[in-house]
């Protein structure tokens, strides 16, 4: 089994794993198969899982310091409990909120500051490894502060600054004040611990003077240090993902859910994934950009960097896949209305095969050859649902005396979105695939054009080499698909779009 690839810079992974002051008996959870399964769910744009999901982990085999009968925690809280900085790094990279609260109202920062205090006071359960664990907890605290975690979050009168004062940890006291931690100046207030309460936790008069000095050195009017970008590039957020779109790392897992790296998956399918900071929800958002050319018929060119197509073609493009595979697909009612109007327009021309029409009404999406621009998972789902609808037609009385082979040739699709049974593209060859016969050989470069023999492939090479591997190349289509595309190309109102028209943001 391949080792999981954390969504972190390799340099950061090496730095943490090779640091002797952070070493523990076991590896970080980011290298485990259990966390890998979670990672794949979070990355998959089709699934509702997020890095902020809260779970009931009662009875979890991983030991935590609290012994609640019912423990509601997110992965970030569990990582904070066990002192796993790499997991904290990756969860934030995957979109986890630094201030996520568990079932009791605790944040990860409160949890690690509590551990720092108990280690410094000599009451922690892990005293035998206290120096290593202290270093890990303090690193996690710095990670969270760099992400502008709430330094004044109050849990039952406890704040991060209160824990730092209790531990007399001057490094953390200064860091928290620098990031805006404020002792409540009103002792009677219920909103948090007062300055007097903080001072009572300090051990000597010199400590009290030092605390007052630091409070005055970092007044509330002082601006907080810039937030670091959670891609962990080392840049500030304003210089990195908040400033512009950044390419999605090729070695990260693909957002289509294929479990492959993006560089070996959708990057080769005209699907450009970029990332940008989402200011409203405060996480790095992935944006999937698909060029329009392989799937929408083009009528001509507009101005520089523009194409002209039809409104109907754009609508058809938005219902080319099952809705669960495309988060930005047309709603079911909208897709139903559009496809019904398409059938009404084409039926008098006898342009759509009855089996194709039946399947269209059943699944409410319009399959089309995608030219390898779409994810394998999405195309397999489309193939499975569409062909099941065609099989339903074959077994119904509507099929009449037509043979199953004839219906499948006219209506079934393969995982490309085009015809299931293809015709040889050799010069003057009339052979076609059929049920039970071996599949034809495909061009080793484009993987789209098919030939019944080497001789036919050689005969077609002069014409084929012009389009082989071209972004506009597509697989063979069914007759009904060809008729629909011609209709979309010739009917309806013109619309001008950018040449790099965005199909979906996911």
């Amino acid at each position: 089994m391949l080792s999981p690839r954390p969504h972190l810079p390799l340099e950061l992974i090496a730095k943490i794993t090779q640091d002797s002051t952070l070493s523990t008996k076991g590896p970080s959870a980011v290298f485990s198969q259990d966390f890998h399964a979670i990672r794949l769910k979070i990355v998959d744009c089709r699934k509702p899982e997020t890095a902020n999901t809260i779970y009931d982990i009662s009875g979890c085999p991983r030991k935590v310091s609290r012994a609640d009968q019912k423990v509601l925690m997110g992965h970030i809280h569990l990582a904070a409990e066990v002192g796993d900085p790499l997991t904290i790094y990756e969860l934030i990279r995957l979109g986890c909120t630094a201030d996520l609260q568990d079932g009791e109202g605790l944040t990860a920062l409160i949890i690690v500051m509590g551990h720092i205090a108990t280690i410094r006071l000599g009451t922690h359960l892990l005293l035998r490894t206290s120096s290593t664990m202290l270093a890990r907890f303090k690193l996690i605290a710095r990670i969270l502060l760099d992400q502008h975690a709430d330094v004044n979050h109050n849990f039952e009168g406890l704040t991060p600054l209160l824990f730092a004062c209790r531990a007399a940890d001057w490094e953390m006291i200064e860091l928290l004040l620098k990031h805006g931690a404020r002792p409540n100046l009103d002792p009677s207030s219920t909103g948090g611990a007062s300055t007097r309460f903080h001072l009572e936790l300090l051990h000597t008069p010199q400590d009290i003077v030092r605390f007052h000095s630091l409070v005055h050195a970092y007044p509330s009017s002082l601006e907080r240090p810039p937030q670091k970008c959670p891609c962990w590039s080392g840049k500030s957020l304003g210089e990195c993902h908040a400033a512009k779109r950044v390419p999605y790392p090729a070695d990260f897992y693909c957002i289509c859910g294929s479990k492959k790296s993006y560089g070996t998956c959708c990057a080769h399918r005209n699907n450009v994934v970029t990332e940008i900071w989402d200011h409203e929800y405060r996480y790095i958002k992935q944006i999937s950009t698909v060029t329009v050319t392989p799937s929408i018929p083009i009528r001509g060119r507009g101005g520089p960097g523009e194409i002209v197509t039809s409104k109907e073609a754009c609508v058809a493009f938005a219902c080319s896949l099952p809705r669960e595979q495309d988060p930005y697909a047309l709603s079911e009612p909208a897709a139903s209305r559009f496809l019904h109007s398409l059938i009404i327009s084409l039926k008098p021309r006898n342009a759509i095969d009855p089996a194709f029409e039946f399947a269209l009404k059943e699944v409410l999406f319009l399959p089309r050859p995608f030219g390898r621009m779409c994810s394998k998972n999405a195309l397999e789902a489309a193939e499975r649902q569409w062909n099941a609808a065609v099989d339903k037609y074959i077994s119904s009385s509507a099929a009449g005396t037509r043979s199953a082979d004839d219906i499948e040739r006219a209506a079934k699709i393969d995982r490309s979105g085009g015809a299931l049974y293809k015709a040889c593209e050799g010069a003057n060859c009339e052979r076609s695939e059929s049920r039970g016969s071996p599949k034809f050989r495909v061009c080793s470069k484009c993987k789209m054009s098919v030939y019944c023999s080497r001789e036919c492939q050689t005969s077609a090479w002069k014409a084929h080499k012009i389009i082989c591997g071209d972004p506009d190349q597509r697989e063979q289509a069914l007759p009904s698909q060809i008729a629909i595309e011609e209709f979309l190309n010739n009917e309806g109102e013109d619309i001008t779009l950018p040449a790099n028209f965005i199909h979906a943001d996911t």
Side-chain angles (χ1 to χ4, degrees):
M1 185 177 293
L2 293 175
S3 177
R5 165 68 168 97
H7 278 209
L8 293 170
L10 294 176
E11 301 80 8
L12 178 62
I13 297 173
K15 178 182 176 182
I16 300 300
T17 55
Q18 294 170 14
D19 189 337
S20 60
T21 64
L22 302 172
S23 62
T24 58
K25 291 182 180 179
S28 167
V30 299
F31 302 111
S32 71
Q33 292 298 329
D34 287 343
F35 188 82
H36 184 52
I38 295 163
R39 176 188 295 120
L40 293 176
K41 288 180 182 178
I42 294 171
V43 169
D44 190 342
C45 67
R46 305 165 304 159
K47 296 184 177 179
E49 190 94 6
T50 74
N52 288 322
T53 303
I54 298 291
Y55 304 91
D56 181 355
I57 63 164
S58 305
C60 175
R62 296 214 48 184
K63 198 171 183 179
V64 296
S65 62
R66 284 175 288 156
D68 303 340
Q69 289 187 354
K70 187 173 184 181
V71 184
L72 298 176
M73 300 176 77
H75 296 292
I76 194 169
H77 306 114
L78 184 56
E81 284 279 10
V82 299
D84 188 344
L86 271 180
T87 301
I88 298 287
Y89 272 122
E90 182 166 8
L91 286 168
I92 292 173
R93 179 65 172 92
L94 292 171
C96 186
T97 304
D99 290 324
L100 183 68
Q101 296 183 26
D102 71 0
E104 293 183 316
L106 288 164
T107 64
L109 184 58
I110 288 281
I111 292 170
V112 294
M113 290 306 301
H115 284 305
I116 290 170
T118 54
I119 290 175
R120 292 294 296 263
L121 293 171
T123 60
H124 201 279
L125 295 173
L126 300 173
L127 277 178
R128 284 180 297 179
T129 56
S130 60
S131 61
T132 298
M133 291 308 298
L134 181 62
R136 294 169 75 88
F137 288 130
K138 291 180 79 165
L139 173 57
I140 292 173
R142 289 194 294 271
I143 295 169
L144 296 167
L145 291 174
D146 284 340
Q147 291 306 305
H148 284 193
D150 184 0
V151 290
N152 294 306
H153 180 71
N154 186 316
F155 173 72
E156 298 181 355
L158 301 174
T159 65
L161 185 59
L162 191 81
F163 280 122
C165 288
R166 178 178 290 173
D169 190 318
W170 291 102
E171 178 191 3
M172 295 310 303
I173 290 172
E174 182 170 5
L175 191 59
L176 287 164
L177 290 171
K178 186 177 180 180
H179 278 269
R182 306 309 301 165
N184 191 343
L185 299 180
D186 180 5
S188 63
S189 172
T190 59
S194 68
T195 302
R196 180 180 176 184
F197 189 26
H198 286 83
L199 296 178
E200 289 173 351
L201 296 172
L202 299 176
H203 306 135
T204 67
Q206 291 82 0
D207 286 346
I208 294 174
V209 171
R210 186 175 182 182
F211 183 77
H212 274 300
S213 175
L214 287 173
V215 169
H216 289 295
Y218 298 104
S220 57
S221 58
L222 191 68
E223 189 174 347
R224 193 169 185 176
Q227 180 179 346
K228 289 187 178 179
C229 188
C231 73
W232 311 117
S233 62
K235 299 178 182 178
S236 70
L237 183 58
E239 297 171 324
C240 197
H241 278 78
K244 60 181 179 180
R245 288 192 183 188
V246 178
Y248 186 68
D251 56 343
F252 282 13
Y253 293 98
C254 194
I255 66 172
C256 74
S258 67
K259 301 181 182 179
K260 298 179 181 178
S261 68
Y262 167 64
T264 61
C265 191
C266 285
H268 295 296
R269 301 178 186 275
N270 295 334
N271 190 344
V272 180
V273 180
T274 54
E275 301 181 309
I276 197 165
W277 179 251
D278 188 309
H279 290 276
E280 181 178 0
Y281 295 103
R282 300 191 59 76
Y283 79 109
I284 294 176
K285 175 175 70 173
Q286 285 74 45
I287 300 174
S288 175
T289 306
V290 181
T291 53
V292 72
T293 13
S295 272
I296 292 187
I298 306 302
R299 293 183 174 179
R301 298 286 165 182
E306 294 179 334
I307 55 173
V308 179
T309 183
S310 70
K311 286 185 178 180
E312 290 77 8
C314 292
V315 176
F317 188 53
C319 61
S320 298
L321 291 169
R323 272 171 299 286
E324 68 273 13
Q325 300 296 328
D326 185 352
Y328 287 79
L330 286 181
S331 65
E332 185 173 330
S336 179
R337 287 193 298 271
F338 171 74
L339 295 174
H340 182 68
S341 67
L342 193 63
I343 291 169
I344 290 175
S345 299
L346 289 170
K347 199 164 186 177
R349 311 181 190 189
N350 293 319
I352 302 181
D353 185 90
F356 191 95
E357 178 186 337
F358 179 90
L360 203 59
K361 293 176 180 177
E362 281 285 313
V363 301
L364 293 180
F365 65 83
L366 175 61
R368 33 214 331 223
F370 270 91
R372 304 185 71 209
M373 65 173 282
C374 196
S375 80
K376 181 180 176 182
N377 282 358
L379 291 175
E380 285 180 346
E383 176 193 23
R384 185 168 54 252
Q385 293 180 32
W386 180 268
N387 289 345
V390 175
D391 285 334
K392 185 176 179 180
Y393 175 83
I394 291 172
S395 62
S396 72
S397 59
T401 59
R402 290 180 71 187
S403 68
D405 185 62
D406 178 56
I407 294 171
E408 288 180 349
R409 283 174 176 275
K412 279 199 170 181
I413 63 172
D414 68 1
R415 68 180 55 178
S416 72
L420 176 61
Y421 300 123
K422 298 177 175 62
C424 175
E425 296 178 40
N428 303 315
C429 184
E430 297 181 357
R431 293 188 65 191
S432 295
E433 296 173 335
S434 61
R435 179 195 278 190
S437 68
K439 285 288 186 179
F440 289 163
R441 62 194 299 149
V442 298
C443 171
S444 60
K445 181 182 177 182
C446 67
K447 310 290 186 185
M448 296 187 207
S449 293
V450 300
Y451 308 95
C452 66
S453 65
R454 183 178 293 275
E455 290 73 24
C456 276
Q457 186 170 4
T458 302
S459 71
W461 175 242
K462 186 175 182 179
H464 175 65
K465 67 180 180 181
I466 299 172
I467 62 165
C468 184
D470 188 275
D472 289 345
Q473 184 186 7
R474 283 179 283 173
E475 302 85 353
Q476 288 185 29
L478 294 166
S480 297
Q481 291 174 319
I482 294 171
I484 289 171
E485 185 149 325
E486 288 178 351
F487 173 80
L488 294 173
N489 198 29
N490 296 316
E491 306 288 336
E493 182 182 347
D494 279 355
I495 184 171
T496 301
L497 298 171
N500 62 340
F501 173 70
I502 293 177
H503 163 49
D505 287 357
T506 57

